[in-house]
Amino acid sequence: MISVNSVTVSFGGYDLFDNVSFLVNPKDRIGLAGKNGAGKSTMLKLLAGEQNPTKGEISKPNDYKIGYLPQDMIHQQGRTVFGETETAFQEIQLLETRLDVVTHELETRTDYESDAYMNLINELTDINTRLEIIGAANKEEEIEKILKGLGFEASDFHRPTSEFSGGWRMRIELAKILLQKPDILLLDEPTNHLDIESIQWLEEFMQTFAGSVMLISHDKQFLDTVTTRTIEISNNKIYDYKTNYSRYLMLRKERREQQENAAKNQQKIIDQTEVLIDKYRAKASKASFAQSLIKKLDRMERVEVDESDNATMFFKFPPPAHSGKIVLTVEHAGKKYGDKQIFSNANFILTKGEKIALVGRNGEGKSTMIKMIASQIDYEGLVQHGHSVMMGYFAQDQAERLDKSKTVFQTIDELAVGDVRKQVRTLLGSFLFGGDDIDKKVSVLSGGERGRLALCKLLLEPYNFLVLDEPTNHLDIRSKEILKKAIMDYEGTVIVVSHDRDFLDGLVNKMYEFKNGEVKEHLCGITEFMEKVKMNRLSEMNSSKNPFQKASPAAVKEKPKEDPKNDEREKEQKQIKSQIVKSEKEIERLENEIKIFDAKLADPSQYQSVVNDKAAFATYEQMKKQLEAEMKTWEDLQGRLDQ
């Protein structure tokens, strides 16, 4: 447990936190909320011991282990992926080194009766016992499980870390933290460099993680799935909500309304009191009464209304120019880098007005296909635009491609033509660049500001085909919702790559999955697709030992039925299989019920009535807990059957 006691943090005379206190309890799942600059990352640094408070204290047990993943960190060099990940087991490595020393001494010494020799034997026993307790024998299995969950292939394990991008090396750091099994995980934007499947795996890992979790994320669905408590940082204070992010938003709105009403009522009292003071102040007989009213006002604790960061970008894409019915044709397309074939034989046709997503693990070829469509790289096969297609392209690193020497205004003004040029200031204002902000150099902008500026460039021409590669990178939750609505209202054709499930949900109803060098079409939304991915992963995990396959006739004949032990074992297997089938049916039932409720929550017309029905919402939360318990039961049964 971590205790934050009356903590104040000041920078240059400004209080970031003012006398805040809270507890982090065992198994807490906490999401930190608040506008940019409120102090979320600073709070994680305080808890991790990376920074000290100006006043107050943060206390924790002496043996308390903290796993901290910042947004940016220095990566280690000189090891393979597996070797670097293995450094997480520092205690095991030290014990194994000492074990080698002790073993060597026991083999070479001959003073068998001495106390020193007996001490070595005792130490050897202690070391082996400790190694067994902390799971040294399963070390390599644990490393492989975590690395594969985070998207690494077995072929990557022995590659130098220097061959990987910053995003992949961040995954290695996350793997090391997860393997250390700390008492608390402090994660600052952990999903930034993960693909959809890895995010789903991390969610499942979090649900079984034994310690506490505190995290910052702009991924709304990740927050809703992982967290059960939200701590908002606002006006130098904290507000603690015992609920997930979506529910917190509703409660915060209610709190502000209550504050505003209380402030209005208080102001009425103040106004009435001031009228009385003015009325009686000049009268000698009432002067003492007027003075008492003045003192009453001075002692009154004024109701504070939380500052609301209502600044939101607002835009919609201009009406697109007309195009032919067929916008894009892809036939037998593929890409190879050297001897490595990324994918091959991709075939699909995109028609006017369609909005589709490219999904799959990082490195499978999604961004490569986007670059092929945008004619940024050469390729095999055919990738052909249709008649009168005008393409607007947003690259994954579009924000980093901006000329850092130019100002915000120059960046847009130099590209704007015709009537648009007269509206550059208005256009920038809709992307939250107002006043002096337009004269800022691109070099001083934050990641989110650069992302907004890069998106602004897409509005300069009436494109009828948008190709968007991770357009939500660096955008906060509110900005992502605005972008999603703009794309949904857009009358043109869209291809988008994104790992944000909440962003894709309701935006696309067709996806092309890039996996194992192939491109497969899925005629469904992201929620249904993720269910398929989850079931496929469970199937792959058990493909080598599938407990549901019936024994072949030959196997039945060879079974020595006269052996009572075999009869007993066969009977037990049948019972377990029956329980597994029953468990699977219950899992399917619960998943369907939860899916129906999720659909209602996703429907704006039903959302409010569903959330207000406390009994239904409680049932929904209970079903999620039942599903988690049933999945655990299924895994236990499967383990018994394997044994």
Side-chain angles (χ1 to χ4, degrees):
M1 183 175 72
I2 298 180
S3 176
V4 177
N5 304 308
S6 304
V7 164
T8 296
V9 175
S10 302
F11 293 109
Y14 169 76
D15 287 343
L16 189 61
F17 304 118
D18 182 19
N19 197 35
V20 302
S21 301
F22 63 90
L23 290 175
V24 180
N25 303 302
K27 295 191 177 182
D28 264 350
R29 298 290 188 268
I30 303 171
L32 283 181
K35 66 181 183 180
N36 290 340
K40 300 187 295 294
S41 294
T42 301
M43 180 59 75
L44 289 191
K45 289 177 183 177
L46 290 170
L47 296 176
E50 299 279 321
Q51 190 171 320
N52 295 320
T54 308
K55 296 179 185 176
E57 64 174 3
I58 298 174
S59 57
K60 48 188 176 289
N62 291 331
D63 57 348
Y64 199 79
K65 290 174 64 178
I66 294 175
Y68 172 49
L69 182 77
Q71 280 196 56
D72 302 300
M73 61 195 311
I74 298 172
H75 302 290
Q76 301 300 318
Q77 306 280 0
R79 296 190 183 96
T80 63
V81 171
F82 195 93
E84 180 61 36
T85 309
E86 196 174 21
T87 61
F89 295 99
Q90 190 173 21
E91 183 183 3
I92 291 177
Q93 291 176 329
L94 291 173
L95 287 172
E96 288 178 340
T97 300
R98 180 59 186 164
L99 183 65
D100 290 340
V101 173
V102 172
T103 302
H104 178 72
E105 285 200 43
L106 288 173
E107 289 174 349
T108 55
R109 292 177 63 154
T110 56
D111 54 335
Y112 307 122
E113 303 297 329
S114 68
D115 290 341
Y117 196 87
M118 290 304 297
N119 289 338
L120 286 173
I121 292 175
N122 291 334
E123 185 179 0
L124 180 70
T125 303
D126 291 342
I127 291 173
N128 282 322
T129 302
R130 180 59 183 165
L131 286 171
E132 185 176 348
I133 290 172
I134 61 180
N138 300 323
K139 180 180 68 174
E140 293 188 0
E141 182 182 338
E142 285 292 308
I143 292 173
E144 181 177 351
K145 175 185 172 183
I146 297 291
L147 286 176
K148 286 188 173 180
L150 290 173
F152 289 94
E153 299 292 340
S155 57
D156 296 327
F157 291 177
H158 301 292
R159 291 172 58 192
T161 58
S162 57
E163 293 183 6
F164 291 84
S165 66
W168 281 98
R169 295 172 78 176
M170 188 64 76
R171 295 188 191 205
I172 296 172
E173 297 302 323
L174 179 57
K176 288 161 62 176
I177 291 170
L178 298 180
L179 286 166
Q180 288 167 5
K181 298 178 181 176
D183 296 295
I184 185 171
L185 286 171
L186 304 175
L187 307 176
D188 197 345
E189 296 289 359
T191 64
N192 267 2
H193 304 289
L194 301 181
D195 52 50
I196 289 178
E197 290 189 38
S198 297
I199 291 172
Q200 188 182 47
W201 175 87
L202 183 60
E203 287 175 348
E204 293 168 2
F205 181 92
M206 292 291 190
Q207 289 169 359
T208 58
F209 176 64
S212 307
V213 177
M214 181 179 283
L215 60 90
I216 302 166
S217 179
H218 286 156
D219 187 326
K220 184 178 177 182
Q221 189 166 340
F222 182 74
L223 282 170
D224 281 346
T225 303
V226 173
T227 65
T228 55
R229 180 180 169 193
T230 303
I231 293 180
E232 179 193 20
I233 302 173
S234 177
N235 285 349
N236 315 326
K237 300 180 177 65
I238 64 148
Y239 297 90
D240 203 340
Y241 297 84
K242 303 297 188 290
T243 188
N244 64 15
Y245 184 80
S246 291
R247 179 67 177 161
Y248 140 75
L249 290 177
M250 298 172 58
L251 295 175
R252 182 186 65 171
K253 183 180 178 182
E254 291 174 5
R255 188 188 83 221
R256 273 190 55 80
E257 289 173 352
Q258 291 169 355
Q259 288 175 339
E260 288 171 353
N261 291 333
K264 287 177 183 177
N265 292 333
Q266 187 183 62
Q267 190 59 46
K268 286 180 182 178
I269 295 171
I270 292 171
D271 292 342
Q272 292 169 357
T273 305
E274 288 176 342
V275 168
L276 290 174
I277 291 171
D278 292 339
K279 182 177 179 180
Y280 295 119
R281 181 179 306 199
K283 296 182 179 181
S285 61
K286 299 291 185 180
S288 60
F289 177 60
Q291 284 300 317
S292 67
L293 291 177
I294 291 171
K295 290 178 181 178
K296 179 182 177 183
L297 282 184
D298 290 339
R299 291 194 302 268
M300 183 181 289
E301 187 175 339
R302 304 300 170 100
V303 174
E304 289 187 12
V305 179
D306 294 341
E307 291 180 10
S308 180
D309 183 14
N310 292 320
T312 304
M313 69 177 189
F314 173 77
F315 74 97
K316 62 179 182 179
F317 293 103
H322 291 292
S323 70
K325 185 175 181 180
I326 303 299
V327 174
L328 180 71
T329 302
V330 177
E331 291 182 356
H332 307 297
K335 178 62 182 175
K336 180 186 290 186
Y337 288 106
D339 295 331
K340 185 175 181 180
Q341 186 79 42
I342 306 301
F343 63 86
S344 60
N345 202 34
N347 296 279
F348 60 89
I349 292 175
L350 188 61
T351 59
K352 183 178 179 180
E354 276 193 300
K355 295 178 176 67
I356 70 165
L358 307 185
V359 294
R361 288 193 168 194
N362 289 347
E364 293 283 0
K366 304 185 300 296
S367 292
T368 299
M369 174 59 80
I370 290 288
K371 290 175 183 175
M372 289 162 57
I373 294 169
S375 302
Q376 299 285 308
I377 56 175
D378 57 355
Y379 50 84
E380 306 162 359
L382 174 70
V383 178
Q384 181 176 298
H385 292 185
H387 178 65
S388 299
V389 167
M390 293 177 60
M391 185 189 71
Y393 172 47
F394 185 94
Q396 189 173 145
D397 59 349
Q398 191 75 36
E400 304 306 318
R401 293 186 182 190
L402 297 171
D403 189 337
K404 295 179 177 59
S405 65
K406 293 180 180 178
T407 66
V408 170
F409 182 81
Q410 288 171 339
T411 300
I412 301 302
D413 185 58
E414 291 178 3
L415 295 173
V417 293
D419 292 338
V420 176
R421 188 156 195 173
K422 301 174 185 177
Q423 303 171 15
V424 169
R425 291 179 183 274
T426 303
L427 184 61
L428 287 170
S430 67
F431 282 83
L432 304 184
F433 295 106
D436 295 337
D437 289 340
I438 66 173
D439 295 320
K440 285 183 179 179
K441 294 281 189 183
V442 172
S443 58
V444 303
L445 299 181
S446 67
E449 288 172 327
R450 290 184 191 179
R452 296 201 306 268
L453 186 58
L455 281 172
C456 184
K457 293 171 67 176
L458 288 177
L459 273 65
L460 298 177
E461 294 187 42
Y463 300 115
N464 51 29
F465 179 32
L466 295 179
V467 179
L468 310 174
D469 192 0
E470 298 288 4
T472 62
N473 277 356
H474 305 296
L475 294 184
D476 58 34
I477 292 175
R478 202 159 31 182
S479 296
K480 286 192 284 189
E481 289 172 350
I482 299 296
L483 174 60
K484 177 178 177 178
K485 186 178 187 310
I487 296 175
M488 291 177 72
D489 293 341
Y490 174 61
E491 297 174 3
T493 310
V494 181
I495 286 184
V496 61
V497 173
S498 177
H499 65 261
D500 192 311
R501 294 157 298 171
D502 188 63
F503 179 72
L504 292 178
D505 189 27
L507 180 64
V508 299
N509 53 20
K510 183 195 293 187
M511 287 173 291
Y512 289 92
E513 180 188 16
F514 287 68
K515 185 175 183 181
N516 299 329
E518 298 179 350
V519 181
K520 183 179 179 182
E521 183 182 63
H522 294 269
L523 300 174
C524 62
I526 187 65
T527 303
E528 186 177 342
F529 170 76
M530 292 312 300
E531 287 297 321
K532 289 181 183 179
V533 169
K534 186 175 181 180
M535 295 310 297
N536 287 341
R537 187 165 71 246
L538 287 172
S539 177
E540 288 172 5
M541 286 170 58
N542 300 291
S543 59
S544 59
K545 296 180 180 180
N546 189 344
F548 309 112
Q549 286 181 344
K550 294 181 179 179
S552 65
V556 174
K557 288 179 182 178
E558 292 170 5
K559 195 173 183 69
K561 292 184 179 179
E562 67 279 6
D563 188 339
K565 289 184 179 180
N566 283 340
D567 287 341
E568 186 179 339
R569 187 180 297 113
E570 188 179 63
K571 182 180 179 181
E572 185 180 359
Q573 284 179 342
K574 286 181 179 178
Q575 290 175 342
I576 295 174
K577 286 180 181 180
S578 175
Q579 289 174 308
I580 287 174
V581 171
K582 183 179 178 182
S583 180
E584 286 181 325
K585 288 180 179 178
E586 180 63 9
I587 288 171
E588 184 178 2
R589 183 189 72 79
L590 288 168
E591 286 180 335
N592 287 336
E593 292 288 337
I594 292 170
K595 188 175 178 181
I596 292 170
F597 203 96
D598 285 338
K600 291 180 180 178
L601 287 174
D603 186 348
S605 64
Q606 300 186 63
Y607 177 80
Q608 196 64 43
S609 62
V610 171
V611 171
N612 288 339
D613 189 342
K614 293 183 179 180
F617 205 86
T619 302
Y620 172 62
E621 293 294 332
Q622 184 63 33
M623 284 193 297
K624 291 202 290 188
K625 291 179 181 178
Q626 289 175 354
L627 178 60
E628 184 180 341
E630 197 62 48
M631 290 293 286
K632 180 68 170 62
T633 300
W634 183 86
E635 290 174 4
D636 292 343
L637 289 168
Q638 173 193 308
R640 286 175 57 193
L641 192 64
D642 289 343
Q643 291 172 6

